[in-house]
Amino acid sequence: VTDSGEDLTLRIDGKNVLSYRHAVTSPPEGVSELYSRNGYIHPLWSPGGEVITRIQPPDHYHHYGIWNPWTRTDFEGREVDFWNLGDGEGTVRHQEILQTTSGQIFGGFETFLKHIDLSAPSGEKVALNETWEVIACNADPENNIWLIDFVSTLHPASQSPLTIKAYRYQGFSLRATEKWDDQTADLLTSEGYDKSNGNATRARWIDVNGVSEVQEGRSGVLFMTNPGNHDFPERLRLWPVDSNGGEENVYINFNPAQDKDWTLEPGKSYTLQYRMIVYDGEIDTETANRYWKDYSNPPKVEVRSLNHLSGKKVLLYTKNGEGYVHDNIPYSVDAINKLGQENGFMVDVSDDPGLFTIENLKQYDALIFSNTNNEAFDTASQREALQEYIRQGGGFMGIHSASGSERDWPWFSKLVGGNFERHAPRQDFTVEVLDPTHTSTYFLPHRWEIQDDECYYLKELNPAMDVLLVADLTTVTDEQMSTFPGTNFGDQFPVAWSQEFDGGRQWYTSLGHRPEQYSDPLFVRHLLGGIKWVTSD
């Protein structure tokens, strides 16, 4: 939104959309100054740059592009015409720019106008206050279509009501380019009427389309009215065929008081809303109806916390073979049991590999290997049961030293996503989020400061996995780093990931060495995100 001192102009990607005139425009030389006006939209440009509106045509000097005055009103016993400026009864004046908005998605402005009774006994008197809110956005970047929302809010300005008397033309109006006439323009309403028979009919929308200098050869505006408007769907005033001598005769308006008076009471507000779809080329009836449905009954977005974990069942497996056993295991069990209670899923905890039979594993939605290490199984049939479970779509989640389990079984390394090689000494280091959209990472800071943990290095990593977190190796002190991992991953090394392998879903994090981490809200939420991911469809 830019302000020249006379006009507010909305632009999208450098293209003009519309200008709002807040400086007074004088009439042509020799024409009464009563025709002076501001507070209107002109020009309105098509995406291709065609000017669609006009002001002060010689046949009607009081026509001003897109504007919104009232013709026959009753105010304090006086008939006041705010439309036919030459009669000297009333006028509309821009008073103030209330605000402007520029941004990546839309731009717009809010302005304040006054409807002035020029015939009041003691001099000019404000009969009606009005605010305009105008918002423009690029509704369809591929097809270059402007979407413009126009909202007029009316407030009686005194203790007296203002009655808008029934009359054939008044309200939200367009005076179109002089290029358009009976031969060069087409009008079509939502009810199927055209320029020859649409006057005084009710319509949800009217499409106005005519010749243009753009590449497509035509430009147009689809005007839509809102179901919340007074007397919806309003009646139309449009100049029929042969009006204005058959030349320069495209004029339309939505009129909420064409056949019945409308009284605006003091202390109340009245809102009229319209939408314009401005385009080059042509649009068909189906497309126009779709645009109107989007406007009148827009899609609503409701964000819900969908607890798909409710009713799920997991096996929390903690078997360790001969070798180092982490003292964090009971803490991890407590943390996951608590997550189950809070999120409605059941947890079976065991270190018995005898549970790994094809039939028994069918009851579980996921298997969680929490700090398992070395040989996790006793028999080949137990390993085969795990393979069958995964191949049937089962979920698998590994925590910390799970990557050191079954180190001589290549299939298991592929299941985890890698095979433990070594770790740096316990220390503080920084983890960076690579995938901020994943259910296990979206809530984390971009740089997550890890306290007193082991930075794991794995081999046999799966290049197809979605790496979620990486260790910033410039924050890790490790005398053996040049030996492994060396420069395989530059200054980063994967810390957590998700993948799909052999029919199932897997998730792994190498974090979680210290028992205290299983009471850290961020780390526990990280684990919950992993459980959600491996149990989702």
Side-chain angles (χ1 to χ4, degrees), residues 54-67:
R54 70 184 301 196
I55 63 170
Q56 299 178 335
D59 49 78
H60 291 76
Y61 287 118
H62 54 275
H63 282 192
Y64 277 92
I66 293 173
W67 77 120

Side-chain angles (χ1 to χ4, degrees), residues 112-361:
F112 176 44
L113 303 90
K114 290 185 176 182
H115 297 241
I116 311 294
D117 175 7
L118 300 176
S119 61
S122 57
E124 294 184 1
K125 184 171 184 177
V126 180
L128 188 66
N129 293 324
E130 181 180 20
T131 58
W132 280 17
E133 295 175 66
V134 177
I135 294 286
C137 65
N138 189 352
D140 189 345
E142 183 177 347
N143 292 314
N144 246 0
I145 292 172
W146 304 152
L147 182 154
I148 302 167
D149 279 340
F150 175 94
V151 181
S152 165
T153 304
L154 305 169
H155 312 264
S158 70
Q159 295 304 308
S160 303
L162 177 86
T163 298
I164 301 172
K165 306 292 287 184
Y167 196 68
R168 65 182 183 275
Y169 60 84
Q170 56 193 343
F172 185 64
S173 306
L174 163 77
R175 180 62 192 265
T177 170
E178 60 272 22
K179 295 179 182 178
W180 292 358
D181 56 32
D182 293 343
Q183 284 70 46
T184 60
D186 295 307
L187 278 64
L188 179 67
T189 79
S190 57
E191 312 312 304
Y193 296 106
D194 58 25
K195 204 168 187 292
S196 68
N197 56 8
N199 185 51
T201 64
R202 294 186 182 273
R204 294 168 288 121
W205 54 260
I206 180 169
D207 181 40
V208 184
N209 182 281
V211 297
S212 170
E213 298 299 318
V214 299
Q215 181 178 357
E216 294 84 350
R218 297 184 74 85
S219 299
V221 189
L222 175 69
F223 289 89
M224 295 178 280
T225 181
N226 191 281
N229 287 356
H230 180 74
D231 200 38
F232 170 86
E234 298 100 303
R235 292 186 184 274
L236 292 169
R237 168 60 178 169
L238 57 88
W239 281 354
V241 174
D242 293 333
S243 60
N244 209 43
E247 298 180 356
E248 304 179 15
N249 65 350
V250 174
Y251 159 86
I252 67 161
N253 74 249
F254 279 108
N255 187 349
Q258 190 176 86
D259 59 351
K260 186 167 60 176
D261 293 355
W262 182 23
T263 299
L264 310 183
E265 299 288 349
K268 295 184 179 181
S269 297
Y270 303 84
T271 299
L272 296 169
Q273 302 180 70
Y274 303 96
R275 174 169 289 179
M276 295 174 277
I277 299 293
V278 188
Y279 62 92
D280 293 311
E282 298 179 84
I283 60 175
D284 56 27
T285 300
E286 181 180 356
T287 302
N289 278 324
R290 176 170 61 83
Y291 279 124
W292 186 80
K293 288 177 182 177
D294 287 345
Y295 178 50
S296 63
N297 187 25
K300 295 180 180 179
V301 177
E302 183 177 347
V303 179
R304 296 181 181 178
S305 177
L306 297 178
N307 185 14
H308 79 268
L309 288 175
S310 181
K312 303 282 188 181
K313 189 174 184 181
V314 303
L315 172 61
L316 179 56
Y317 189 54
T318 61
K319 166 75 172 175
N320 273 247
E322 185 176 346
Y324 183 81
V325 179
H326 283 74
D327 61 358
N328 62 19
I329 291 176
Y331 297 90
S332 71
V333 169
D334 288 346
I336 292 174
N337 269 325
K338 185 179 179 183
L339 287 175
Q341 294 167 7
E342 294 172 344
N343 294 274
F345 64 90
M346 295 173 283
V347 182
D348 285 348
V349 182
S350 180
D351 61 0
D352 179 9
L355 296 179
F356 281 76
T357 67
I358 291 174
E359 193 61 34
N360 186 59
L361 293 183

Side-chain angles (χ1 to χ4, degrees), residues 31-77:
V31 178
S32 170
E33 284 297 321
L34 288 172
Y35 288 101
S36 300
R37 247 211 79 156
N38 56 10
Y40 58 87
I41 291 173
H42 173 78
L44 172 68
W45 289 274
S46 78
E50 182 76 9
V51 174
I52 291 173
T53 53
R54 70 184 301 196
I55 63 170
Q56 299 178 335
D59 49 78
H60 291 76
Y61 287 118
H62 54 275
H63 282 192
Y64 277 92
I66 293 173
W67 77 120
N68 192 47
W70 306 103
T71 308
R72 296 284 186 264
T73 72
D74 188 306
F75 179 60
E76 297 181 340

Side-chain angles (χ1 to χ4, degrees), residues 3 11 42 88 122 130 136 198 227 241 351 354 403 416 419 444 474 479:
D3 187 353
R11 294 185 176 90
H42 173 78
S122 57
E130 181 180 20
V241 174
D351 61 0
S403 59
V416 175
N419 192 332
L444 293 173
T474 66
E479 294 179 356

